[in-house]
């Protein structure tokens, strides 16, 4: 095989091959760490657990909050971390579908005291109209949907 000078200059050197191997190992380690199945660490003071009340449920994890009513559910992509001085919290706004397919912003605001959550669910339409509903939830209590119907 005849190697021309131009082809020879473009071949990787031993030093470049070693750099490539080191870079490949570092990238493989980063990918393995990012894809590990270890659970995320919850922020300090995060509310973790299941809460239920009349017509409503809330599940708090280290990553997110799932809020469900008899009419539907919404996920807030962060942990619920109340203010340590007074237990108040706010989640949202986050876009969600509303009645008749109108999209709006959902906000949860409330307080945490012991195993009790007092919160207000607010749905605000683009026009500025909207309303709120207050709920009281208790930790480790199943939601009670027996007396509530969705008025869609």
């Amino acid at each position: 095989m005849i190697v021309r000078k131009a082809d020879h200059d473009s071949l990787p050197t031993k030093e470049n091959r070693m750099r490539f191997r080191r870079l490949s190992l570092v990238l493989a380690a980063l990918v393995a760490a990012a894809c590990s199945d270890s659970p995320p660490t919850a922020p300090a003071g995060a509310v973790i657990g299941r809460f239920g009340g009349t017509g409503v449920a809330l599940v708090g994890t280290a990553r997110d909050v799932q809020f469900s009513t008899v009419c539907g559910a919404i996920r807030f992509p962060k942990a619920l971390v109340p203010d340590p001085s007074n237990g108040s919290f706010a989640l949202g706004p986050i876009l969600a579908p509303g009645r008749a397919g109108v999209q709006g912003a959902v906000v949860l605001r409330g307080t945490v005291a012991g195993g009790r959550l007092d919160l207000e669910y607010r749905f605000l339409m683009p026009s500025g109209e909207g309303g709120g509903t207050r709920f009281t939830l208790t930790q480790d209590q199943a939601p009670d949907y027996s007396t509530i119907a969705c008025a869609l």
Side-chain angles (χ1 to χ4, degrees):
M1 175 174 161
I2 300 174
V3 177
R4 294 180 299 203
K5 181 162 178 40
D7 291 338
H8 178 56
D9 290 341
S10 64
L11 294 175
T13 64
K14 184 176 182 179
E15 183 180 309
N16 285 340
R17 285 193 302 267
M18 292 302 290
R19 283 185 190 156
F20 179 76
R21 284 185 192 146
R22 278 184 261 149
L23 180 61
S24 297
L25 290 173
V26 169
L27 287 174
L30 288 173
V31 168
C35 296
S36 73
D37 290 334
S38 63
T41 303
V47 175
I48 307 294
R50 296 179 178 276
F51 295 79
T54 303
V56 66
L58 183 141
V59 178
T61 72
R63 284 187 196 176
D64 60 11
V65 172
Q66 179 80 25
F67 180 75
S68 306
T69 68
V70 71
C71 296
I74 188 165
R75 181 184 158 274
F76 293 87
K78 71 177 201 173
L80 192 159
V81 182
D83 182 322
S85 67
N86 60 12
S88 67
F89 67 88
L91 292 171
I94 191 164
L95 290 179
R99 294 182 184 172
V102 175
Q103 207 171 41
V106 173
V107 176
L108 290 183
R109 294 183 196 274
T111 57
V112 179
R116 178 180 160 152
L117 289 173
D118 290 307
L119 63 83
E120 181 181 29
Y121 166 91
R122 296 201 44 86
F123 184 85
L124 303 171
M125 294 187 290
S127 65
E129 296 177 59
T133 305
R134 294 190 177 276
F135 298 99
T136 298
L137 297 90
T138 304
Q139 190 166 18
D140 299 326
Q141 177 180 311
D144 177 11
Y145 297 122
S146 64
T147 59
I148 304 287
C150 186
L152 289 178

